[in-house]
Each structure stands twice: as C-alpha cells, then as structure tokens.
Amino acid sequence: MRVIVTTANGGVSVMKVEARPDPQPKAGQVLVRVKAAGLNFADILARQGLYPDGPPKPCIMGYEVSGIVESAGEGVEPGIVGKAVIAMTRFGGQAELVAVSRAQVFEKPDSLTFEQGAAIPVNYLTAWALLVTMGGLKKDEAVLIHNAGGGVGLAALDIAKHIGAKTFGTASMGKHDFLRARGLDHPIDYRNQDWLPVLKELTGGRGVELVIDPLGGNSWKKSYAALRATGRMGVFGMSVASASGIKGKLRALKAILSMPRFNPLGLMNRNRAVFGLNLGHMWGEGEKVAGWTQEIMRGVSEGWIRPHVDRAFSFDQIRDAHTHIESRKNIGKVVLVP
Ligand SMILES: NC(=O)c1ccc[n+]([C@@H]2O[C@H](COP(=O)([O-])OP(=O)(O)OC[C@H]3O[C@@H](n4cnc5c(N)ncnc54)[C@H](OP(=O)(O)O)[C@@H]3O)[C@@H](O)[C@H]2O)c1
C-alpha cells in the first residue's frame, strides 16, 4: 500500500509517499480501504517537531479516515465487510489501508461524501466536547470561537448555532464573508487589530459566557479577560507555536512563558472556570466518545452538522496540503485522497 510518511522533523520536504506492506486486521479489528483521510493541525505540528503526542519518526500520521471495510478480524461481525464507514485511527490513517478497532468505526451516512465523512471525527468531537460536554453552552449565552474559519472552528459554529447561542468568532478577514454565510453573528478580524476591545464593545462591555481558545500563550490571558461572570474558558491548542526548526521551539517557549497562571481563589471570586481538552487523550474513554459521536450523527441526519471540506489533495500533493494549512488558506477541513 501507499502511505504518507513524516520522515523527520522539518519543513514540508520531509513529507514523502512510500510503500509499506498491507496491514492485516487483528482480532477485534477491521481493515478499511481509505477513500479520504483527514489532515489536521496536529499533523503540521508533528512535522515541525512540536507535537509530543505523535509517534516516533519516521511515522504515518492520521487520526481519521472514511472508506470501505475490506475485511474483518476474528470476533467482528462479518456483515460489516463492504460497508462505507468513518473511523478514528490512532495514527496510520494517511494510508491506502488501515487496520482499526471495530469500536472506533461507525457507519458513514449516505448523505455525506467520503471527503465529508473524513471531516467529522476530530473537528466535531473536539467541538462537541468543548461546547457541550465541558463548556455547557446554553441557548442565548454568548460564545467566542477563536479561529472560527478552521476545521474545529466551523464545527463549533454548527453546534453553537444549533444550541441557539450568540456567536462571536475571530478569523482572518478573508474568511468573514464565508463565516457570515454559515451563520456566525459577529466575525472579528484578530490579525489587524486587538480583538478584545472589539468583543467588549459588541457585548456592551460584558464579555461572553464561553471562549474556546486553541492559540495558547498570551491569547489565553486575553480570552480569560473576555469572560463575564459564570464564564468558562476551554483551552485546547498551541497554534501560536507553529513554525519549523528553532523558530518553532522559541515560539513554543515564549507561549509557555506568557501563559496565564490561575489561582482557585481568583476563579471563585470572579465566578469563572477554566478547562482543557485533549481529544488525543480520550482513547480510554471509548463509551463517552461513542455517545458524543451518536449525537453528532443525529446532527448530520437532522441537517445541522454540515462538515465543510475546503479542499482535497492527493497523497502525492501532501507537501502542498501542509503548506495550504500553514499559510492559513483553508476554510474548514483539508482531506487527503489516495
Ligand atoms: N486539543 C484537541 O483535542 C484538539 C483537537 C483538534 C484541534 N486542536 C487544535 O485546534 C487548533 C485548530 O485546529 P484545526 O484542525 O481546526 O486547524 P485548521 O483547520 O488548520 O484551522 C486553523 C486556523 O487557525 C488559524 N491559525 C492561527 N494560528 C495559525 C498559525 N500559526 N498557522 C496557521 N493557522 C493559524 C487560521 O485561521 P485564521 O486565518 O483565521 O487566522 C487557521 O485557518 C490547532 O491548534 C489544533 O492543534 C486541538
């Protein structure tokens, strides 16, 4: 099979397409012939050497795929063979074939293309956990979605709109028209101006009940300052560190040094909460994640979960795909097709 290999830490030139022996499904696994694999920001950070959760290099990244079940291992119902599925893969997804636990596979609804199917797991599970499970977002509450034009950002917007929240989102200006059309109430340009006073003005000085922040560093200080009483801040990434080589390491260090430190007494007296999410550390909580997946699939059938694929790149275009995300060109999901 052909696979995408991150051969070392570095720039896009470390990305290669190589051949590997076909995997065989073990007991409890199915073998999926991949039609589309998600490319995530984590894959970019892993290539840059800034993603401690990634496998040792050389490695095949890939947290999610859609495809057709080609065969089933011992103990798996044979009826699943031939079905179109979506799967969460703990790496190895960016390949023509991947063996994955049956428990991490669910049927792809006919209403979704394979490319849209591969855009579901990471973005929507992350957004669900942030907004619903941990963020407890309610109707008429205000939510600030940072990087609203990214994959997680658009997923969060779908969910926040369904809940009936007032939505504020930071994004590059070029993404604002698209975001308005998707239902974002207040897009904020955060690249050419300080977004905090803009948000405060839009909210009559009060701020918001929920912020989700994948930027890290100093941004977490500002996001915390954007909360009104009973406000919650969910932190889930460190995008500000993104860069190859020494530059990335220095940015990560700067982000760590400029992070806020929270005091429980301060949280108590200001009626605020801070929480963190790392979906990649939820593999031991399969039942919980399966429950979230069911809710998301209900959203697909009811039409309020609308995965938006920005662009599909072939495996051979993997370097272009990385550059596309790194240069902030994507609106929504980037997928890879064999
Ligand atoms: N903790 C978790 O479980 C979890 C799960 C999924 C994702 N994440 C994190 O969430 C963040 C977004 O992921 P995603 O998959 O939604 O990414 P994405 O689709 O690639 O979108 C990221 C967006 O972030 C903005 N951005 C900010 N800083 C950037 C930088 N240095 N380089 C490139 N873009 C930058 C860009 O929007 P603008 O053009 O508007 O600036 C970009 O479109 C990442 O930090 C990722 O690691 C965390």
Side-chain angles (χ1 to χ4, degrees):
M1 65 168 176
R2 290 165 70 248
V3 302
I4 294 174
V5 184
T6 309
T7 57
N9 294 341
V12 294
S13 63
V14 303
M15 300 306 303
K16 297 199 171 130
V17 177
E18 295 181 358
R20 292 279 189 280
D22 289 359
Q24 298 300 321
K26 298 193 185 103
Q29 289 187 330
V30 295
L31 184 69
V32 178
R33 181 158 292 276
V34 174
K35 296 280 191 189
L39 182 64
N40 287 296
F41 208 85
D43 302 321
I44 310 298
L45 294 175
R47 193 203 78 227
Q48 294 168 337
L50 297 173
Y51 189 64
D53 290 349
K57 297 182 180 84
C59 65
I60 305 168
M61 295 295 290
Y63 271 130
E64 57 196 347
V65 300
S66 65
I68 308 264
V69 177
E70 188 140 301
S71 60
E74 203 186 310
V76 176
E77 78 278 18
I80 193 160
V81 176
K83 290 248 161 80
V85 295
I86 297 171
M88 285 165 270
T89 50
R90 193 172 192 175
F91 308 117
Q94 291 166 9
E96 284 179 325
L97 290 164
V98 61
V100 56
S101 163
R102 169 69 184 90
Q104 287 160 218
V105 172
F106 51 99
E107 268 190 55
K108 181 184 77 63
D110 289 339
S111 61
L112 297 182
T113 63
F114 283 105
E115 292 174 4
Q116 287 173 317
I120 291 264
V122 173
N123 289 345
Y124 280 91
L125 287 168
T126 302
W128 190 270
L130 286 166
L131 263 57
V132 179
T133 312
M134 300 185 82
L137 186 65
K138 309 277 181 308
K139 186 173 185 307
D140 295 329
E141 283 191 329
V143 59
L144 172 65
I145 301 166
H146 279 301
N147 304 154
V152 175
L154 282 184
L157 180 57
D158 275 356
I159 295 166
K161 294 306 295 176
H162 178 69
I163 290 170
K166 292 193 240 1
T167 51
F168 300 80
T170 61
S172 294
M173 271 298 274
K175 301 177 183 177
H176 287 201
D177 285 347
F178 179 88
L179 287 166
R180 268 191 213 97
R182 286 284 285 204
L184 181 67
D185 299 320
H186 301 284
I188 301 173
D189 173 15
Y190 74 129
R191 305 219 22 226
N192 298 306
Q193 62 181 342
D194 184 356
W195 59 265
L196 185 56
V198 179
L199 179 84
K200 282 283 169 80
E201 196 179 327
L202 286 168
T203 57
R206 284 191 301 273
V208 298
E209 276 90 0
L210 180 65
V211 183
I212 59 167
D213 189 332
L215 287 152
N218 190 45
S219 178
W220 290 345
K221 269 189 198 148
K222 284 174 68 175
S223 291
Y224 183 72
L227 296 176
R228 68 185 287 183
T230 75
R232 294 85 68 190
M233 174 170 86
V235 300
F236 69 109
M238 202 48 109
S239 301
V240 290
S242 174
S244 303
I246 188 72
K247 201 168 168 190
K249 302 265 182 300
L250 288 174
R251 282 187 185 178
L253 183 64
K254 187 174 167 208
I256 289 165
L257 294 175
S258 58
M259 277 188 313
R261 305 273 184 268
F262 297 105
N263 177 331
L265 285 176
L267 294 172
M268 180 176 83
N269 290 329
R270 303 187 82 172
N271 294 298
R272 293 183 187 181
V274 175
F275 64 91
L277 174 81
N278 187 337
L279 190 68
H281 294 181
M282 288 294 291
W283 295 103
E285 292 279 5
E287 275 180 33
K288 233 179 232 287
V289 177
W292 304 346
T293 305
Q294 266 178 20
E295 292 298 309
I296 291 163
M297 296 327 272
R298 184 171 61 83
V300 170
S301 64
E302 292 174 1
W304 49 270
I305 295 278
R306 304 169 296 155
H308 175 75
V309 176
D310 172 76
R311 208 171 141 185
F313 289 85
S314 71
F315 278 15
D316 291 321
Q317 295 173 306
I318 183 60
R319 295 175 182 177
D320 297 337
H322 273 238
T323 303
H324 189 68
I325 290 184
E326 246 179 303
S327 52
R328 302 171 185 244
K329 291 207 179 101
N330 61 309
I331 300 185
K333 192 75 184 180
V334 172
V335 298
L336 303 165
V337 292

